[in-house]
Amino acid sequence: MADIPASRFRIPPQEMERIVALLGRVPNITEEAVFSALWSEHCSYKSSRIHLRNFSSKGPRVLMGPGENAGVVRVTSRLGIAFKMESHNHPSYIEPFQGAATGVGGILRDIFAMGARPVALANSLVMGYLRQPRQMTLFRNVVAGIGAYGNAIGVPTVGGEIWFDERYAKNILVNAFAVGVVPDDAIMSAIPPDKPLLAVYLGNKTGRDGVSGAAMASRSFSGEESDLRPQVQVADPFVGKKVMEATLSIIRRGLAGAIQDMGAAGLTSSSVEMADKAGKGIEIDVLTVPLRDSTMEPWEILLSESQERMLLLVEEKNVAAILDLAHESQVAAAVIGRIIPEPVFRVKKGEALYGEVPVACLTRDAPLYDRPRKARTSGSSAPGHPHPSSSGSHSIADLFLRILEHPNGGSADWIYRQFDHEVGTRTILGPGHDVAIVDLREEDRAIAIALAGFSHPVSRDPERGGALLVAKTVTDLAAVGAWPVGLTDCLNFGNPERPETMNDFVMAVAGVAGAARRLDIPVVSGNVSFYNETDGVSIPPTPILATCGVLASPRTAPPGSVGEEGLHLALAGAVSDLSLGGSMLDWLLPELEAEPVPVIDWETLSRLQPFLSALVSSRRLRGSRAVGRGGLLRTLLSLVAPHRDMGVHLRLPALDNPLGTFFSEAPGRIVLAYRPEEETAVRETASEFGIPVLFLGQTALHRFFLHYRDREKKDKEIRLPLSAIAKKYLTALTGQMETLP
């Protein structure tokens, strides 16, 4: 093996040896380029695949699971929803506007490739601190890129979350989610039928943008990354809209046998994956690929990740109709190859052969690693915030204000204003809430979407933290009366070759998988993003989850905020473990004594949904919100803050653990707001479902008042000026943005 040359595409030496052994020869440049893409972490999941088998994708509602462009779950007798979440982290750090925009475009193509019309977008963003000019540039341009694509293509961005942490300054996270609606008899698969099929290219012309993007996304950063800018794709949402409508029309007319988005690794990945699923081979003639640059080499054409492109496998009798439809839609289209009986990936340019590799060598024979694992030592993932607080005791009021003053504790309203969340007129509950609701006009149903991606509980305890994220999304859905029907994930981690990182990943996957099984939620799609590392420093373990739910009575869903005086406020749900472990307060104040991540009361959590569903369907509630980031007090403020002059007057009983009561983020607790005359009905319904309910107080104008008794039975009162704390909450983010141009 000493005569094996070094890879021209950064393939590790041991993998080059494996390639030579499989082929029985040294690959040429085209073949090596193909291996570099399809054996990359981003395409082959070589470090994660054996652990992802822990996820269960089975269930009576599941119509399509992992292995397709997106998962599909049945929501009515005739309708399904297709949904997925993916990362675009590396491209967004290098070129934030285009990286974020193409992340949105790519996830939308995954949805309409299934025959589903996209109806909603959401996102989860993690950045460094905005006081750094580079981070401000990244933040503003990522938000602009997301808005530019979603707004232009006409799909509403209905929800999301943002987190600022210095440990992500050189590896920001941009995770995009999309969901679409599809009749269950019109779902398109990426698995070709057993017929003679031609490969038809549809969409934008191919250029040099994004060449080797998958390989770039599968490596760590080291210092200046400007040399990677050409590997970032360029978005065109207006062409994307044309491609979407053309693709959906082709599917409706039954003209295609299989469809794959040209995403990571472009034409190479889409063609090889479909051939592999068919158990056959595919021949591509790069001379027929529509190009923006006629000087491109065959390997560049194969690896380009130019956006807004689809690959269709089509019977010959349907080709003319597809080409006509593409011409009418003003997008490029051409027959560029065919499915062949020999199980090889053959690349030609006219009559010249440029490469031929067995399909199995690129897919099933790709490396599969069970990497070494090692648990982290205590304190190895310290919170990433710039102002260590002074030691000593803190009052409840001081701690509450500390949370509200931090951008992570404030409103993200500025971000939401950049997105059109009403286009399409389906949005029932939009940005600014913990859950979004989108109307299914086709049926008397609605889709609810809940995201969770706070890394701190996973850093504290990867397995319990992963389970906590699932429980959080389920609690968010329960708050509006939605039944969870499926989950998608985006697993963002550092370098898997580091045993500590690999252990975090395996344990987090186990936590998510175990919680999803316990709650009978199938994991139908997802994405792994490794090598989020710069100069040897990895990000904290950051799995981000999106759980979709269904509302049987969409018009009765309570709002996520209330502006009515005199409403009763109550806390429904599990209260047995109010640990601060993994909470925002735990992250913000490292001098607090470390507590374990809360143990989840699974039985109570499972009863929350039917309890809330009963209240929602009978229109008992004026508002509801799951206790989330920052704990109970911040949740109460977020419930009333949008109405400016509305506050709360709280009178609680004796509390053994005031800190936990007010600041724990243990899932399974929901704040309810209802009119006084509903008190008896709420309590009777709670008793019926075995849900504990704690009366908190009432909504009140112009004040934020709290009375409770501590463990020594001493009366405590907190009076905060409503206008001041509301201002802190509403301007925490924009105040940071005003510090830099």
Side-chain angles (χ1 to χ4, degrees), residues 47-79:
S47 297
S48 60
R49 215 177 338 150
I50 62 173
H51 305 293
L52 297 178
R53 295 168 185 162
N54 287 332
F55 290 136
S56 173
S57 59
K58 306 298 182 184
R61 291 179 178 267
V62 178
L63 300 174
M64 289 284 184
E68 292 286 350
N69 287 288
V72 183
V73 175
R74 186 191 305 277
V75 293
T76 73
S77 60
R78 70 179 193 91
L79 276 184

Side-chain angles (χ1 to χ4, degrees), residues 5 9 79 99 177 204 213 242 283 285 293 299 307 399 497 508 569 605 620 632 687:
F9 295 91
L79 276 184
F177 166 90
N204 216 351
K242 295 175 183 178
E283 180 179 285
D285 183 357
D293 184 344
W299 70 267
Q307 296 292 282
L399 294 174
E497 298 165 44
L569 298 170
L605 182 62
R620 303 287 185 192
L632 176 61
S687 177

Side-chain angles (χ1 to χ4, degrees), residues 562-566 637 639-641 643-648 699-704 722 726:
V562 294
E564 187 176 345
E565 185 181 15
L637 180 62
L639 188 67
V640 297
H643 300 277
R644 302 286 176 164
D645 58 351
M646 187 57 61
V648 297
T699 56
L701 285 171
H702 310 302
R703 63 185 181 275
F704 198 97
L722 179 64

Side-chain angles (χ1 to χ4, degrees), residues 1-29 31-37 39 46 367 369:
M1 295 295 180
D3 58 345
I4 296 176
S7 171
R8 289 157 288 194
F9 295 91
R10 301 176 69 138
I11 299 174
Q14 71 274 17
E15 292 185 4
M16 277 297 291
E17 291 181 6
R18 182 169 181 160
I19 291 168
V20 172
L22 286 170
L23 296 180
R25 58 180 173 81
V26 175
N28 64 33
I29 188 170
E31 295 165 336
E32 187 184 330
V34 169
F35 273 106
S36 76
W39 280 24
K46 56 192 175 188
Y369 297 127

Side-chain angles (χ1 to χ4, degrees), residues 455-534:
S455 69
H456 192 52
V458 187
S459 297
R460 278 274 191 254
D461 184 329
E463 185 169 9
R464 193 180 287 185
L468 184 140
L469 294 180
V470 177
K472 180 189 182 320
T473 63
V474 170
T475 306
D476 287 341
L477 293 176
V480 295
W483 298 85
V485 296
L487 185 152
T488 184
D489 60 66
C490 215
L491 307 176
N492 306 275
F493 287 77
N495 186 342
E497 298 165 44
R498 300 187 185 281
E500 294 85 358
T501 297
M502 201 64 220
N503 187 72
D504 286 345
F505 176 81
V506 173
M507 300 307 293
V509 166
V512 172
R517 276 199 192 88
R518 193 162 203 154
L519 297 168
D520 292 324
I521 305 172
V523 182
V524 297
S525 59
N527 170 243
V528 177
S529 175
F530 274 138
Y531 293 99
N532 292 287
E533 175 186 85
T534 296

Side-chain angles (χ1 to χ4, degrees), residues 73-94:
V73 175
R74 186 191 305 277
V75 293
T76 73
S77 60
R78 70 179 193 91
L79 276 184
I81 56 171
F83 58 95
K84 189 179 183 182
M85 183 160 53
E86 281 198 342
S87 63
H88 233 225
N89 304 333
H90 282 46
S92 298
Y93 181 76
I94 298 165

Side-chain angles (χ1 to χ4, degrees), residues 184-197:
D184 60 11
D185 60 355
I187 298 170
M188 174 56 63
S189 174
I191 303 174
D194 188 16
K195 298 177 180 179
L197 298 168

